[in-house]
Amino acid sequence: MEEELEEPVQDAWYTCDGEESDVVLSTKVELARNLANFLFPRCLRGTDGTRVREIVFDAFNHLEDSENFQAIAVSQLDTLGSRILQERGILSEIPEQGTEMKDSGVILRFDGMLACTVNIVDHLRISSFVPGLGLDEAVNISSDLDKQLQKRIQFAASYDFGYLTASILEAGSGMKLSMRVHLPSLSMQGNIGNVSDDLSKSGIQFSALYGVGDKGASLGSYYELVSTNSQTGSEFDQMVSMSSAAKRVAEMERSARDKCLDIMPSEVRNYLYRSIALARSSIFISLREALDIISGVKWGKDLSLVDGIDDATLHALLYRIQDGHLEYVLKNGEFHFEKDISDNPVRKNERLRALILQEAFEEVKIAL
């Protein structure tokens, strides 16, 4: 029997504001842990995988706030549930329904700020999510859960290497830090290459968040920063390095923002005006178009060219316009579409996406 994933409540973490949110959209902290006396997931034999999952699920059942968590076997997830987890950044991709996933699991806290995977890469991966540049908060959230679980689970560790993980680069602290950023000004000026080079010197991976669009640019100018080595320095050192890099990128974007208004005001306004016009006038909006529209309106807000919307709303839209979320809303609500699209799932998604953007931008006005 397939299990339905429960969508986060309306006050989910991504509907809130955070520090440096004009550039840094969100922060994710991931802790990789493995149980002592068990092989890594890809090497598990017999019923060991099932046993690992049972141990982890049982530990969550003994948390003081266990009622706030939902545990799901990946093999019991339907395709829609898997897609939503991918859109939330919990699963890197939609898993195939096969024997290699039969002992895997996912554990979610209902506000979405905590999520764990079981027997996917490592026995346990604890992920925390917060809006804006919130490394301290995200680390505290994931570390607190880690400490609670260690009361019932013995994790594999060594005095020489720290926590033992499936990837040697993640051993040590077992911590991976990542941030999602919005860099339209640097993109417009063609300076993304310089950002990438600067970050690589600090051991930080820089990539397009939603894939590559026209001319090799990231869709909507949304990018992701990811730490690549958990062995260098302490957890505090890793946090300082990542925080410093994010703040440096934010300052680069703000500086580029001022230059864009000075040297290409017509290009900037054209992007903004077209974004608002498309959102308000379109009957259908594809995901690629929506990402570009949201980016244009956010850029206009950051440049003080539009009023009537905030960063938290714009950030939440990036989740609300995803295909999985739209399918969930359609499945659990009552909608009456035009006759010519009522039997077309793709068009219904695009129609609902257009309606969501129109509602969100209803109060948006061009600043005088």
Side-chain angles (χ1 to χ4, degrees), residues 5 68-72 85 90 106-110 114-116:
L5 178 71
N68 293 327
F69 290 87
Q70 177 186 16
I72 310 168
L85 291 178
I90 297 166
V106 179
I107 305 164
L108 309 172
R109 198 168 78 180
F110 288 125
L114 269 173
C116 303

Side-chain angles (χ1 to χ4, degrees), residues 35 38-57 99-105 118-120 122-123:
L35 277 62
F38 285 93
L39 298 175
F40 292 130
R42 67 179 59 184
C43 301
L44 289 170
R45 300 174 183 175
T47 61
D48 284 350
T50 301
R51 180 60 181 149
V52 167
R53 189 176 65 191
E54 289 175 346
I55 291 172
V56 174
F57 279 14
T99 56
E100 71 279 4
M101 300 301 296
K102 66 183 179 66
D103 297 323
S104 300
V118 182
N119 285 337
I120 299 178
D122 291 285
H123 293 151

